[in-house]
């Protein structure tokens, strides 16, 4: 059978090679800078999925948060099995819970093949 990949965790793993990266929920304690990855939906066409993924770079300064977010897009574009298109450019996006932190946000469309899996122990 086929199913969609866990795009949040897959993106987090790719970014974690270079930066601290989290999916929700964020840990209770963290240090800056870091990237937050959120799956915001998507669609499929036969065996190919296109996911909308939100990338948020958190840092102490606007310049660092912006660069972190832009670099994250570049890193994802280098993943050979994905096609990545930036849907929105990195923009300052104040965090309502932590207005003291600088946060930049972008959305990307990640196109990836579905994975094969087998369910065992069924009826």
């Amino acid at each position: 059978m086929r199913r969609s990949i866990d795009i949040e965790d897959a993106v987090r793993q790719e970014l974690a090679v270079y930066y601290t990266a989290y999916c929700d929920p964020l840990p209770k304690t963290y240090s800056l800078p870091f990237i937050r990855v959120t799956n915001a939906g998507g669609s499929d066409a036969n065996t190919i999925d296109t996911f909308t993924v939100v990338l948020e770079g958190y840092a102490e300064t606007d310049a660092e948060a912006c660069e972190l977010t832009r670099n994250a897009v570049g890193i994802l574009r280098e993943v050979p099995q994905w096609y990545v298109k930036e849907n929105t450019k990195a923009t300052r996006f104040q965090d309502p819970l932590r207005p003291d932190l600088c946060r930049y946000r972008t959305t990307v469309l990640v196109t990836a093949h579905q994975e094969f899996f087998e369910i065992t122990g069924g009826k």
Side-chain angles (χ1 to χ4, degrees):
M1 295 170 50
R2 291 180 173 268
R3 67 177 178 190
S4 299
I5 63 172
D6 180 350
I7 194 63
E8 275 186 349
D9 195 52
V11 168
R12 183 199 57 77
Q13 288 178 35
E14 293 293 338
L15 296 176
V17 172
Y18 303 94
Y19 299 112
T20 301
Y22 300 114
C23 298
D24 285 337
L26 293 178
K28 290 184 183 194
T29 59
Y30 49 80
S31 59
L32 298 176
F34 69 86
I35 300 172
R36 181 181 187 179
V37 179
T38 308
N39 179 8
S43 62
D44 67 17
N46 296 320
T47 63
I48 310 271
D49 290 326
T50 299
F51 301 95
T52 301
V53 179
V54 178
L55 304 174
E56 295 173 309
Y58 285 79
E60 291 185 16
T61 68
D62 279 341
E64 187 180 14
C66 182
E67 181 175 15
L68 180 68
T69 306
R70 292 183 299 116
N71 287 351
V73 174
I75 291 166
L76 296 181
R77 285 186 170 146
E78 294 298 315
V79 176
Q81 61 270 34
W82 295 347
Y83 172 74
V84 176
K85 178 181 176 185
E86 196 168 19
N87 197 37
T88 61
K89 293 295 184 184
T91 305
R92 191 173 201 296
F93 197 75
Q94 187 172 17
D95 188 323
L97 300 177
R98 292 293 308 270
D100 57 313
L101 299 179
C102 296
R103 174 174 73 163
Y104 270 69
R105 180 180 186 158
T106 187
T107 58
V108 293
L109 301 175
V110 179
T111 302
H113 287 274
Q114 294 174 351
E115 64 185 4
F116 290 100
F117 74 104
E118 184 177 325
I119 297 176
T120 58
K123 296 180 182 182

